[in-house]
Amino acid sequence: MPSRSDITDFGAGPAPLSTIVLEEAAKALLNYNATGLGVAEHSHRSPLAADIINQAKADLAACLDIPDDYDILFMQGGGTGQFSAAVYNFVGAWVARKHKEIFGDIQGDPTDHPELIQQLKQVVDNDLKVDYLVTGSWSQKASVEGERLLGSEHINIAADARKTNGGKFGIIPDESNWKLSKDAAFVYFCSNETVDGVEFPAFPKSLEPRPDGKGPVVIADMSSNILTRKIPVRNFSAIFFGAQKNLGLTGITVVVVKKSFLPPVVSQPSVALMRYLALPVPPIILQYEAIAKNNSLYNTLSIFDVFVAGRVLKMLLQTYPDKVEGQQAVTNHKAQVIYDALESFPEIYKIIPDKAVRSRVNICFRVAKGGDVNTAEKAFLAEAAAQGLTGLKGHRSLGGIRASNYNSVPLEGAEKLARLIRAFAMS
């Protein structure tokens, strides 16, 4: 039976955790801080739970240099749940802005002003758009959920990689070809496409804030590359990510949201108004306002999952004095070690995405040796497993090989995979 030290897991998720963090978590499950109860048994309403949440928020803010005018929410439902939550909350914020423009300081029931409410409805019907940059499987799913909630008339696919890449993902269309809406409720993109191995190399120029501080409302899914590089947080209105890749365990989802989209600056429109406008009303558990107001404790949150995330953050801060930039350098180096090995044998290995947008985190490639791709890839995976390199099989929709280079993968593991890539090609 192999030990933990014998295995390097490159699985796409849930990702492995540091053994040190797991050992701390195991102790905390039995008896947390000499309380006689495990951390998962304490009330989520207790001061102990609030301290765990607040410390994790502070450490995440420290790691990523999150400004004070952003809030950090711990939610549930994964990144997929945020496909819906983003629509509910940011469409509501867009409606609130339009309501203010039309009604001014008029208070009370909007339906008491039929001419104004009809004007607002026409604005919603004609102008409400949500923009999606579709560069892989996850952004495609996000756009489908947006259409399911709002209807196709309110969805704008500003860019679709498949249209300029022979019907397949693997590129990011040039920004000059993006067809962004003039006043979108938000522009969504997936920073790293886990399935397709495509990563935005930098924040898109066309989405940067203008000199006057205004600009598009930008939301990004960073579920698989969070904590692997420095982020220009102020360029985003919201960032969300599941914890299970680089932060902790499956079960919690983090949302970093600009406070200007939360009360008291702006509140969600009333249920009655949204129904009149034929727009969806958010389930309370997906409403950022409710979660922020209750410090992520509107309902029973898994404090154990937050505790584990907090330990991961503590370890990152202790390891790298320059915080996430230190981890970024390691991530980039590990990725380069693997890509260098693959590029040394172009007749054997085909890296799937275009070089300009290759993910540092999910490295996708095919193996062609002896004329039979399936046989070659089965042989490669078998040899990898024999050497303790697991989780390398590509996503079921794409096939091939996928090495997920998350923060928990040590440099030694990346080097071991690179040696296998070279040895397999020469055998």
Side-chain angles (χ1 to χ4, degrees):
M1 293 288 290
S3 65
R4 287 184 63 83
S5 60
D6 296 325
I7 299 297
T8 301
D9 184 50
F10 291 93
L17 284 164
S18 158
T19 299
I20 294 173
V21 169
L22 285 176
E23 288 172 344
E24 291 178 346
K27 291 178 182 177
L29 267 178
L30 290 174
N31 190 347
Y32 181 69
N33 279 5
T35 59
L37 288 175
V39 65
E41 298 169 297
H42 280 276
S43 169
H44 64 297
R45 304 291 183 195
S46 67
L48 177 150
D51 182 63
I52 290 173
I53 290 171
N54 292 334
Q55 190 60 60
K57 289 168 66 172
D59 287 342
L60 181 63
C63 283
L64 296 177
D65 291 325
I66 298 173
D68 290 340
D69 57 340
Y70 285 73
D71 206 344
I72 298 171
L73 316 178
F74 291 106
M75 300 179 67
Q76 297 165 55
T80 302
Q82 290 305 313
F83 296 164
S84 305
V87 171
Y88 289 132
N89 287 277
F90 281 89
V91 165
W94 187 90
V95 170
R97 291 198 301 275
K98 297 303 176 183
H99 180 273
K100 179 67 175 175
E101 291 173 10
I102 293 170
F103 280 74
D105 295 326
I106 296 175
Q107 303 294 318
D109 187 346
T111 57
D112 291 340
H113 307 276
E115 291 182 3
L116 296 180
I117 195 71
Q118 185 58 31
Q119 184 181 343
L120 176 59
K121 190 172 190 318
Q122 288 178 349
V123 168
V124 169
D125 291 345
N126 296 333
D127 299 341
L128 173 59
K129 295 291 182 184
V130 175
D131 285 3
Y132 289 91
L133 305 177
V134 178
T135 57
S137 299
W138 289 112
S139 50
Q140 167 66 8
K141 288 182 178 180
S143 70
V144 169
E145 178 66 357
E147 182 175 343
R148 190 182 71 86
L149 293 174
L150 296 176
S152 59
E153 66 273 19
H154 295 304
I155 300 302
N156 174 44
I157 305 301
D160 189 334
R162 296 168 296 184
K163 290 186 176 179
T164 52
N165 195 45
K168 296 180 180 180
F169 294 122
I171 67 164
I172 295 176
D174 189 272
E175 291 186 42
S176 62
N177 296 320
W178 294 1
K179 297 184 178 354
L180 297 167
S181 302
K182 183 179 180 181
D183 182 28
F186 64 86
V187 183
Y188 163 95
F189 71 93
C190 182
S191 180
N192 183 80
E193 293 281 3
T194 317
V195 173
D196 305 277
V198 171
E199 184 177 24
F200 278 79
F203 188 86
K205 288 286 185 184
S206 57
L207 300 183
E208 289 180 351
R210 299 195 300 263
D212 61 4
K214 298 181 180 179
V217 175
V218 181
I219 297 175
D221 178 354
M222 295 188 177
S223 289
S224 52
N225 67 347
I226 194 68
L227 295 173
T228 69
R229 68 181 185 188
K230 191 172 177 61
I231 300 168
V233 177
R234 287 202 177 277
N235 289 2
F236 298 92
S237 297
I239 297 165
F240 65 81
F241 46 94
Q244 67 273 13
K245 313 291 188 183
N246 290 308
L247 182 60
L249 299 169
T250 303
I252 55 170
T253 309
V254 182
V255 179
V256 179
V257 59
K258 205 167 190 177
K259 290 179 181 177
S260 59
F261 287 93
L262 300 171
V265 183
V266 64
S267 294
Q268 289 290 308
S270 69
V271 170
L273 177 59
M274 294 296 278
R275 285 178 177 160
Y276 178 83
L277 297 173
L279 293 172
V281 177
I284 194 71
I285 200 60
L286 294 181
Q287 190 177 61
Y288 296 158
E289 177 180 342
I291 304 304
K293 192 182 297 183
N294 289 276
N295 194 29
S296 299
L297 292 172
Y298 181 82
N299 70 323
T300 307
L301 182 69
S302 174
I303 300 302
F304 175 67
D305 291 340
V306 180
F307 167 79
V308 171
R311 298 316 302 166
V312 170
L313 292 167
K314 288 286 187 195
M315 191 170 181
L316 190 150
L317 287 169
Q318 291 165 5
T319 304
Y320 303 109
D322 49 355
K323 300 173 287 192
V324 77
E325 290 180 76
Q327 179 63 63
Q328 177 174 325
V330 173
T331 298
N332 292 353
H333 179 53
K334 290 188 296 174
Q336 194 60 53
V337 165
I338 297 170
Y339 278 123
D340 282 349
L342 292 170
E343 289 179 327
S344 297
F345 302 93
E347 71 283 1
I348 303 295
Y349 303 108
K350 180 183 184 301
I351 301 170
I352 296 174
D354 182 79
K355 188 170 186 176
V357 297
R358 287 177 187 169
S359 172
R360 303 161 305 123
V361 181
N362 302 105
I363 299 166
C364 299
F365 60 96
R366 303 304 302 258
V367 184
K369 188 177 182 183
D372 186 345
V373 172
N374 289 332
T375 301
E377 289 178 347
K378 286 179 181 178
F380 182 91
L381 291 170
E383 181 57 33
Q387 295 187 27
L389 304 173
T390 62
L392 286 164
K393 188 175 182 180
H395 190 271
R396 61 187 179 278
S397 66
L398 197 63
I401 312 296
R402 173 174 55 171
S404 294
N405 177 35
Y406 298 136
N407 290 352
S408 59
V409 173
L411 174 59
E412 296 76 17
E415 291 172 337
K416 188 174 180 180
L417 175 58
R419 288 195 295 271
L420 169 63
I421 289 169
R422 294 177 186 277
F424 187 85
M426 293 186 292
S427 64

